[in-house]
Amino acid sequence: MPEPVQYRGMTLIVPDNDSEWKEFYAHARVHKLMMRACKACGLMRYPPTHACPWCMDLGWEWREVSGRGTIYSYEVVMHAIQPGFKEIAPYPVVLVELDEQRGRPTPDEGLRIIGNLVTTDGRPEAEGNVAIGKRVRVTFQDLAAHMALPQFTLTDERPDGHTWRLPD
């Protein structure tokens, strides 16, 4: 069993028998964002489950993705429940639709992953900078020799369309 990791006062551990997450975080530790791709239909999925949620096939392989995408949705956490997050609240959490599978298998579905939106130095991004449609890229927060967390940071890329954010 790997050593537990402390992250903002919480103990994080991925048990040896949790093959989905163990492999996902092993890739993240070397700063690679990897998704499981179905061998039958080719669609990728997150979280890294065994069966394909679209065709139910059990065959899969790991596929590296760029980590670039668009903010599909977001939430700004105003009242942190976990004590370790109180000092950084408010902080944004984003649902990112990754470029590699945007709008597939249908226009309403895509390859989406959740993470914190941080600045390039790892602090929470300012609430006023967060908007649906803005472009982001993955960044990794190293926590230990065997653990890194994928997070996201804004890019200078122009959005494909207009952006939207909650009114002040």
Side-chain angles (χ1 to χ4, degrees), residues 56-67:
M56 297 299 135
D57 191 81
L58 294 175
W60 57 268
E61 62 188 4
W62 287 105
R63 187 175 299 159
E64 186 173 6
V65 294
S66 68

Side-chain angles (χ1 to χ4, degrees), residues 16-92:
D16 287 336
N17 64 351
D18 190 343
S19 61
E20 293 95 345
W21 291 108
K22 181 180 175 189
E23 291 179 48
F24 177 84
Y25 284 113
H27 293 299
R29 183 58 194 106
V30 293
H31 295 188
K32 289 185 178 185
L33 187 59
M34 304 287 280
M35 299 290 153
R36 282 193 174 176
C38 178
K39 285 189 174 183
C41 71
L43 292 171
M44 291 178 281
R45 58 188 176 267
Y46 181 86
T49 57
H50 281 294
C52 176
W54 295 282
C55 75
M56 297 299 135
D57 191 81
L58 294 175
W60 57 268
E61 62 188 4
W62 287 105
R63 187 175 299 159
E64 186 173 6
V65 294
S66 68
R68 292 187 138 356
T70 302
I71 297 176
Y72 183 82
S73 186
Y74 74 93
E75 174 182 5
V76 176
V77 178
M78 303 302 282
H79 177 73
I81 295 171
Q82 291 290 337
F85 285 85
K86 287 182 180 181
E87 67 189 45
I88 65 167
Y91 62 93

